[in-house]
Every structure is written in structure tokens, then in C-alpha cells.
Amino acid sequence: MPDLAALEILLAVARAGTLSGAGREVGLTQQAVSARLAALESRTGVRLATRTTRGATLTAEGVVVAQWADRLLRLAEEVDTGLAALRSDSRSRLRVSASLTVAEHLLPSWLVALRADAARRGETPVRVVLTATNSDHVIEQVRDGSADLGFIEGVTVPAGLRSRVVARDSLVLVVTPDHDWSSIPVAELAATPLVTRESGSGTREVLTVALRDAGLEQVEPALELSTTAAVRAAVLAGAGPAVLSRLAITDDLAAGRLREVPVAGLSLERELRAIWTGPRTPPAGAVRILLSHIHS
Amino acid sequence: MPDLAALEILLAVARAGTLSGAGREVGLTQQAVSARLAALESRTGVRLATRTTRGATLTAEGVVVAQWADRLLRLAEEVDTGLAALRSDSRSRLRVSASLTVAEHLLPSWLVALRADAARRGETPVRVVLTATNSDHVIEQVRDGSADLGFIEGVTVPAGLRSRVVARDSLVLVVTPDHDWSSIPVAELAATPLVTRESGSGTREVLTVALRDAGLEQVEPALELSTTAAVRAAVLAGAGPAVLSRLAITDDLAAGRLREVPVAGLSLERELRAIWTGPRTPPAGAVRILLSHIHS
DNA sequence: GTGGAGTCACAAGGACGGCTTGTGACCGCG
DNA sequence: CGCGGTCACAAGCCGTCCTTGTGACTCCAC
């Protein structure tokens, strides 16, 4: 299990060029930085930086590890920002209520962007309080004023609320990389036993309805599981193809763990919307600022 | 800074359904699990799981945090596998030498897939020893036998070596999401001051050559920086557009931090190749197994 | 040439966090 | 009604990690 603090120190060393400078940057002494870096090197068995009497520079391996660390720490920062936004005790600024899909995959990076922007302007960042529930409850919370801003998924625009499309999600057919499909007609998809969520899940409904609209009836699933994560794991383990939200598997697609198979004649798009009450344009400064970071 | 161990415990609780079961799964006592989970909840100020006298189930917020944790821990596992592969002391199995681009962005997930596959078959995973350098040195190491397998970038196939394309990388023009470009002709790209790497860098050369081939001359850069990460940060900070490897910014594209702008009449593809010596098909079992996880 | 300011590394001491063991309260089931 | 399961609280202990103090070394200015 990698040590995030040590990786952060490595990045500080890369930026500062000296151990002491890195120490000042992260608020530690030079000795502590030296020890942590030595510990990281001992864990990997590779020299990550060459120390001279006048500074320290990363080796080639050090650059690679720094790159890995950078990705990891960026994601960790997103998670941390998300965790901070979950704090409910603070009776503060912008109350955001979001559906699970948005909260899980999109909001953290928006919040980081929001905070970075405030830092760039020298302002104190808006404090965001996040609640995560299903879309119906989000609508309810925005209606009754217990949330200033909501994020929902689904095709219908709730009556009496203002809204704006902030992102699109689509369900995609995915297989393991060694699968022989490259592109299939929609009829073959309907005839294939899939790994799916249990009946009643939103993702599964969308697919069923779309196939029914196309005049097709689905065969029985190969496997029914109760969470998207479990479905994803089953596909990776070779249990069969699945239709999943693209947002949930961008990492896997980028890393080549999963492969997307286009289905001719089928499009399963759904819109993710920001919703709020009141005037047509987003009301308070806070809401507008957050939305200004989100481009559909 | 989030606590990876605590997040892992949260996932174990989600899987097991009880704190004690989670404890058995991660090798801790029930009391330790209870304390760590309580600490995590106190950090967020939100109840992540409801404890009954007969188990524990995640709340809606808990599910969201678990999803974040899952992404973060997957990436952490990749980094950890990469770190393990850097260990040089073990005089062991498969010596892999890779260019920086491949080592930074692709190899970790391949190694995780390799290990997971071995675990699924019940075999002990191949021990991989990784060296990261530039493409020329990779070729040299494969030639002189100090590496069993190499990964390089570039258009030319080295003479005397077998090779296979394992992935493609392309340079893409990226801007901040609020930029007004949607698609531009190649002449406008050449006339735009960009944030770039310093002269002599591979990425910069590729762009310069491609523009020269198109009969265009580039204007002076807006800013010259020495690492890809610095260029990326400058673009995010609004310093201007840049042309970067798509592999280095997939996260940013997915999160909407950066936006890709198609350039009409310009394609900057480069192939990433596995190289080895000897017979036409990959030789030892180990090499073939690793390659079987990589599909171009 | 020599002192000063910078670099990094080694050693000793102390504080804090986190795990274990021990125990108690509660619930359901046979 | 006891037994097996759940989780929470308390005390003690161990290890990690940071700080302070010190030494070796290099470069530079005087």
C-alpha cells in the first residue's frame, strides 16, 4: 500500500530541487524529508533521487514514480474535497444535493476546480455541503429549499424548476479486451446473456426500455448483481459482457482493461442536469460560480 | 489527505456486511475496524454505515464514499504494482525496459492485469523487474540482453528486433473548458502561441515536424516549460492552449478539466511498440503472457 | 586560503496513533 | 433462557515518525 505522504514529499522534492526546500514546502524538517525519501527508496529498491551536496534531482525512475504519484495524489485530492463537502455540521454556504452517479463520478473534480479557481482569485473558497441520494429525493430537496442546487439524471425535466444540462452519460456495451466482438447489431445484443444489475435498477430499465422500443425482447441475464461495482468486477473476471454507464468505466477503458463495443442502431444517452429554483439564471453567486466550472 | 487504509476498511465493510467480517478480511480485530471507521466518520461528519446488533450496512453517503475509495484504491494498487516492479535487487524473472510514456501511463495497469490473471489461474505471478529510460536506451538494453522485453515509442521499427504495436498515442490540442474554440484549421494552430515543452523534447519535435510537412511555420510559444506535468498545469491555470500526449491527460478530459479541440487536417499519431529479440513470436512464456494482456 | 552559508545524513529522544486484549450490552435463534 | 453472533468502550503497549542536535562536505566570497 503506497504511502501518500511520502509520494507528496517526492513531488515536493522534484519541484524544489533540494530536500530542505521540499521540507519547507510541506512543513517538515530536512531530516524528516530525507528519512521519508530514504524509506520510499528502500521500499522500491531503486534510487529515486541523486543527492549532491548542492541539491537533489530525480533519477529516471524517480520521474516515473513522480508521474504515478501525481495522478494518484490528484485523485486523492478529489476524494478529500468530496469528503470535506460531506461534512454536515457546518451551517454554511452552498448546499448541494446530487444523485449517486453525479456524486460518485463528477462532483469531486468540479469541487476541486471550484476551489482552485477561488485560490487563483485569492478569494476564500465557497464551502460546499454535499448530500448524496437518488434523483427523486434530490428534486424534493431542491423544491423544499433544503438544498440550493441539485444534480439529477434522467430524461424528464422536473416541472417548476430551472435546469441546465451539465453532462451526458451513456450506457455502453463492454467486454474484456480478448473478446472477439468488434461491433454488433442490436438484435445480437438482445440475444446475448449479459451481466446486469438486478431488475428495478435504473441502468437496467434504460436498456430494457430501449430494446423494447426497438421491438426486441431480451434473453435472461447471465448473472444478476446488486451494485455497479460488482457488475464491473464480474465482467473483468470474464463472466460475460455488460451494459454499464460510461462514467463508471472510463478508467478501465483508458487502461485497456475493458473494451467498448459499438452497437449498431442503439443509443442509450441520458442527460445529467443541474436544477435550482427561482429565476431562470442561476441565483446566488455561489451557484453560478459552481456552474461556471461545468460545461456540458 | 485521505487515509487509504481506512478507505480499504470501508470497502471491506461494504463487502462483508459486518465489522467483524471486515476485520477478518483485512487481518484486523473487530475493535480496530470499528475505531478506524469511527475515525473516518468523524473526519467527514457523516454517518457512513448504520450499525445494528446484527451487522453494518452502508448509508447513501457511505456508498458514494465507497465508490470514490474504489477508484482511488485501484489506482493505488497500480502504483504499488509499479513500485514493486521497480525493485532491482531480486535477480528474477522478466526484465522489462520501457520508455517513459509507456512506464508512466500504461505499464502499471498491465502489470495489475497480469497479476490478477495469475491469481485467477492459481499460479504464482511472474515477477517483473522494470527499468524506465528513453526509447534509445530501451532498444539498446533489449539488443544486449539486459532486458527481455522492451516498450518504445516512435514511428521507426528498430532493425534486427521483433516488434508489435501494443497501443497508439496521439498528440491532441487541449484548451480549458471555457475556451471558445470548437474546431480549428491547422493554419490557425500554427499561428497560435502555445504552451510547450522546451525545444528538443520529443512531443515538441513531433508537432514541429508535422506542421513543417504541412508547409507551415510555427509562431513563438507563449511559454516554454521543462516537463509535461508543468505544461499541463499551465494550461489548467489559463496560460493558453497546448499540444499534449492524450495519454497524459485522459483524466483531465474525462473530468472536464480540459477539452480537446480537433484540428482539421492534422493527425499526430505515434505507435507504442513492444520489442524483443529472437523468433518472430514472443519467446518465453512470461513475455507471451504479458503481451496477451495487451491488445492494440 | 579561510570562514560562512548552503547542502545532506546520522543519532537520540519523545509524542502520537493505532492495534490488541479484555469486557460489557444488545439481539435473535433454537 | 442460554448460546452465538453483533458492536462499543477502556487500558496498555508497541511502533512509527517527527524534532532537535550534530557532523561531513561543497561552493563561494572575501
Side-chain angles (χ1 to χ4, degrees), chain A residues 10-11 14 48 58-74 251 254-255 257, chain B residues 74-83 85-86 96-112 130-135 138 151-153 167 169 171 197 201-203 226-232 244-251 270 272:
Chain A
L10 176 68
L11 287 184
L48 299 175
L58 298 195
T59 63
E61 269 80 9
V63 170
V64 172
V65 174
Q67 194 79 16
W68 296 340
D70 188 50
R71 287 182 60 196
L72 187 55
L73 289 172
R74 273 212 300 280
D251 298 347
R257 282 186 291 262
Chain B
R74 274 214 300 279
L75 188 52
E77 185 191 3
E78 286 186 12
V79 172
D80 194 49
T81 310
L83 289 178
L86 280 181
V96 172
S97 183
S99 74
L100 287 190
T101 303
V102 175
E104 286 169 353
H105 300 292
L106 297 172
L107 254 181
S109 64
W110 293 344
L111 296 178
V112 169
L130 172 62
T131 310
T133 44
N134 60 50
S135 291
V138 170
F151 292 97
I152 60 172
E153 55 211 69
D169 185 22
L171 301 185
R197 288 283 301 282
S201 119
T203 5
S226 62
T227 71
T228 302
V231 172
R232 175 189 159 276
L244 285 171
S245 159
R246 170 175 276 124
L247 285 172
I249 51 168
T250 45
D251 298 347
R270 56 178 177 176
L272 306 180

Side-chain angles (χ1 to χ4, degrees), chain B residues 57-141:
Chain B
T57 59
L58 297 194
T59 63
E61 269 81 10
V63 170
V64 171
V65 175
Q67 194 79 18
W68 296 342
D70 188 51
R71 288 182 58 196
L72 187 55
L73 289 172
R74 274 214 300 279
L75 188 52
E77 185 191 3
E78 286 186 12
V79 172
D80 194 49
T81 310
L83 289 178
L86 280 181
R87 286 203 73 84
S88 55
D89 62 306
S90 54
R91 68 272 175 270
S92 43
R93 311 301 315 280
L94 183 63
R95 293 160 303 163
V96 172
S97 183
S99 74
L100 287 190
T101 303
V102 175
E104 286 169 353
H105 300 292
L106 297 172
L107 254 181
S109 64
W110 293 344
L111 296 178
V112 169
L114 178 67
R115 212 177 52 182
D117 187 67
R120 191 161 58 234
R121 296 169 197 267
E123 303 167 3
T124 82
V126 180
R127 187 172 304 175
V128 174
V129 176
L130 172 62
T131 310
T133 44
N134 60 50
S135 291
D136 287 350
H137 193 210
V138 170
I139 294 171
E140 187 183 316
Q141 287 194 309

Side-chain angles (χ1 to χ4, degrees), chain A residues 1 28 46 54 70 79 96 137 141 150 162 169 173 185 191 213 221 231 235 237 249 262 267 281 287:
Chain A
M1 185 70 52
L28 291 178
V46 166
R54 177 165 84 272
D70 188 50
V79 172
V96 173
H137 195 211
Q141 287 194 309
R162 308 298 178 180
D169 186 22
L173 173 63
D213 288 354
V231 172
V235 174
I249 51 169
S267 160
T281 53
V287 171

Side-chain angles (χ1 to χ4, degrees), chain B residues 198-209:
Chain B
E198 80 285 357
S199 179
S201 119
T203 5
R204 176 153 176 188
E205 284 310 309
V206 170
L207 176 61
T208 306
V209 169

